Amino acid sequence: MKLILQTTAAATLLLAGAMAAMADDSSIHKIDPSAFGIDQTEIASIRSQMQAAVDGNHIAGALLLVGNNDGVGLLETAGTQGPDDATPVDEQTIFRIYSMTKPIVSVAAMSMVEDGLLSIDDPVGKYIPAFNSLEIIDQETGDTRPAQNVMTVAHLLTHKSGLVQSIFAMGTTLGGLYEANVPSDGSATAREVADSLGNLPLLFEPGTAWHYGHSTDVLGAVLEVAAGQTLDVILNERIFEPLGMDETTFYVSADKASRLAEPVHGAMGDNTIVRPMLSGGGGLNSTTEDYVRFARMLLNGGEYNGARILEEETLALMQEERITDDVSREYFFYGDRGGWSLGFHLQPVDASDPEGPSNFGWRGIGGTLFLVDPANEFFMIYMEQKRGGPRGAPFDNNVAQRVVYGAID
C-alpha cells in the first residue's frame, strides 16, 4: 500500500508539473488592461456590444483580444461555439480563418526569399509554366490579346497580378470562365488550380492595378514548386513548428471537431474532411491562442520566444506601400484610404492623418480580423464565424477595430 501511495503521489506531481509547463507554454499571459489605456468602463461596453450580437442572433459567439510583447490586456468573449453548441467560445476554439491564411503564406514566401529559394522578381511562369503565355481580356467584348507585362511573385504578394475570382467577377465573361474552369470544391491540388488559372485571361496587365482574387492560391503553388514540398509541410517547418502553432492546420482532425466554431446563418465547409486542395488564399483553421503567436512575432520584428521567422529588414520590406501612384485603385476595397504591402493591408492608425503610421494585417470572410500596430505597440485579434444572415450586426470585425482604437485613444 505504501508503494502504491508513493507512486500515486509521484504521478500527481508529474501531472501538476506537466500542467504548469503547459500553462507556461501558452501565448496568452494576462496583464492589466491599463497598460493599453483601457479602463473597466470601456471593457464593460465592449462586452455588452459583443453580447448584443449574440443575443440578436447574428453570431453564436465571438472573441476579442488585444496584446503586446508583455502580454494580453484585453480578452473578452461572448456566446458559444455554435448555435447548437453550449460550449463557450475561448482561446482554444477553432475558427476557419479563411483569408487570414494569406499573411501566413506571404511570410513563408519571404522566408524562402531569405533562403534564396525564390525571388519576388521571379516570373510566376518560372514555377508554373501555364503563366508563360498570358492574355488580357477586354471585359466589354470578351476579346483577348497577349499580355505585355510579365507576372512576378511580387504581383502575387500584392494582388497586382491581374488574377481575380469568380465571386468578384459575377455576370462578366471572365467570371464565367472562372466558374467553368477553376475547381472550387477542393478536389484539385493547388498546382492544378494554378494551372487552370494560368490558362485563363487576366483582367489587366500585371502590375497596373490592385484586385483581390486567387493571387495567394497561386503563390502557394509557387512555393510548393520552389521548395519541392507541399504547402502544409512548408508552413509547418517555417512557421508553425518554430512558433508552437500546433493547432493551425488546413484540415481539422476528428478528435478536435467538437472545438470548431459554426455560424448561425448559412453553412461553412466541413474542414474535418481532408481534400487535395491546400489553399494558400484561405484554407487554414486556427485558434486565437495560436494566432497570438503569429501576431506577436510580427509585432516583435519577426521573432517570437527565441524563434526567428523573418529578419527585421525583411519584415520592414513587407510593410512598404505597393499601391503606388501608377497603380489603379479602381478595385481596391478601401478606395483612396490606406494601401497594400507584400502580404498585408496598410491602414492609417489615425484616419485624420493618412500620411501617418499604419497598422498592418488582414481579415477573413468568415468574420475574423487581426492587425498589428507597431506605432502603438499592440496587436488585436477578433474571431467569429459568420456567413450571411441579417445585416447591421451590433458587433463585427469592423466594430471591433473601432472600439479597440477608441478605448486605446
Side-chain angles (χ1 to χ4, degrees):
M1 179 64 70
K2 183 177 181 180
L3 179 61
I4 294 174
L5 289 174
Q6 288 176 334
T7 303
T8 302
T12 301
L13 288 172
L14 284 172
L15 179 60
M19 292 177 68
M22 288 174 63
D24 289 342
D25 192 46
S26 173
S27 67
I28 298 177
H29 301 284
K30 298 289 185 65
I31 60 176
D32 197 283
S34 63
F36 300 87
I38 303 174
D39 63 34
Q40 292 301 318
T41 300
E42 291 165 329
I43 292 174
S45 175
I46 290 170
R47 186 185 303 124
S48 175
Q49 291 176 73
M50 292 174 67
Q51 188 62 48
V54 174
D55 294 342
N57 206 36
H58 293 275
I59 54 174
L63 182 150
L64 176 61
L65 179 147
V66 177
N68 60 20
N69 284 323
D70 294 325
V72 171
L74 177 70
L75 176 56
E76 289 299 320
T77 65
T80 65
Q81 294 182 156
D84 301 314
D85 187 345
T87 307
V89 166
D90 65 15
E91 59 269 29
Q92 301 303 327
T93 300
I94 299 173
F95 293 86
R96 301 165 185 82
I97 60 172
Y98 290 109
S99 287
M100 273 168 55
T101 303
K102 289 180 172 71
I104 293 174
V105 172
S106 299
V107 166
M110 296 307 291
S111 78
M112 289 174 59
V113 169
E114 288 184 344
D115 289 346
L117 294 175
L118 78 160
S119 165
I120 64 172
D121 297 321
D122 282 342
V124 176
K126 175 181 178 180
Y127 305 96
I128 314 290
F131 285 82
N132 281 325
S133 301
L134 294 172
E135 295 187 332
I136 310 299
I137 194 169
D138 184 315
Q139 279 285 67
E140 294 190 8
T141 67
D143 295 336
T144 62
R145 59 170 176 80
Q148 301 300 305
N149 296 349
V150 174
M151 185 193 297
T152 66
V153 172
H155 292 147
L156 298 178
L157 284 160
T158 57
H159 297 287
K160 297 189 296 186
S161 64
L163 293 164
V164 296
Q165 202 166 341
S166 60
I167 191 173
F168 300 116
M170 301 296 285
T172 69
T173 301
L174 185 57
L177 290 172
Y178 272 72
E179 290 284 348
N181 295 282
V182 182
S184 59
D185 61 356
S187 62
T189 65
R191 176 63 188 275
E192 290 167 342
V193 169
D195 284 338
S196 298
L197 290 164
N199 287 309
L200 296 179
L202 304 175
L203 180 61
F204 51 80
E205 288 281 356
T208 63
W210 186 98
H211 200 300
Y212 208 56
H214 281 294
S215 290
T216 319
D217 283 327
V218 175
L219 179 62
V222 166
L223 299 191
E224 289 190 339
V225 175
Q229 298 171 309
T230 55
L231 189 57
D232 54 348
V233 173
I234 293 169
L235 299 184
N236 280 336
E237 290 186 355
R238 293 182 173 273
I239 299 177
F240 300 155
E241 290 176 4
L243 295 184
M245 295 174 65
D246 55 2
E247 301 275 24
T248 306
T249 57
F250 282 101
Y251 296 102
V252 177
S253 59
D255 62 314
K256 297 180 180 180
S258 62
R259 291 164 50 202
L260 265 169
E262 299 292 349
V264 171
H265 305 281
M268 294 179 173
D270 185 350
N271 283 0
T272 64
I273 301 173
V274 178
R275 301 175 179 88
M277 181 61 176
L278 302 177
S279 170
L284 286 174
N285 309 274
S286 189
T287 64
T288 305
E289 201 275 343
D290 259 21
Y291 218 93
V292 164
R293 297 167 184 267
F294 183 69
R296 273 192 61 185
M297 177 271 296
L298 295 173
L299 181 64
N300 197 41
E303 184 267 340
Y304 172 77
N305 271 7
R308 178 153 294 282
I309 305 302
L310 288 176
E311 296 298 327
E312 289 190 37
E313 296 80 3
T314 303
L315 187 54
L317 179 68
M318 292 186 73
Q319 296 171 58
E320 292 181 359
E321 171 66 271
R322 294 283 171 154
I323 307 182
T324 49
D325 291 341
D326 58 339
V327 176
S328 170
R329 289 174 169 262
E330 178 183 358
Y331 306 106
F332 187 53
F333 292 152
Y334 305 105
D336 293 331
R337 178 168 59 89
W340 196 269
S341 63
L342 287 171
F344 306 104
H345 79 234
L346 298 173
Q347 289 295 302
V349 170
D350 182 351
S352 66
D353 183 15
E355 302 303 319
S358 294
N359 61 50
F360 66 97
W362 196 224
R363 59 186 62 212
I365 197 171
T368 60
L369 167 73
F370 94 104
L371 61 84
V372 178
D373 185 338
N376 291 300
E377 298 183 343
F378 79 90
F379 61 86
M380 67 162 282
I381 296 171
Y382 177 71
M383 296 289 209
E384 67 171 36
Q385 296 284 253
K386 185 175 182 181
R387 198 62 175 252
R391 294 181 178 275
F395 206 87
D396 59 16
N397 50 21
N398 291 317
V399 177
Q401 182 172 342
R402 288 199 301 271
V403 299
V404 165
Y405 271 101
I408 288 176
D409 289 345

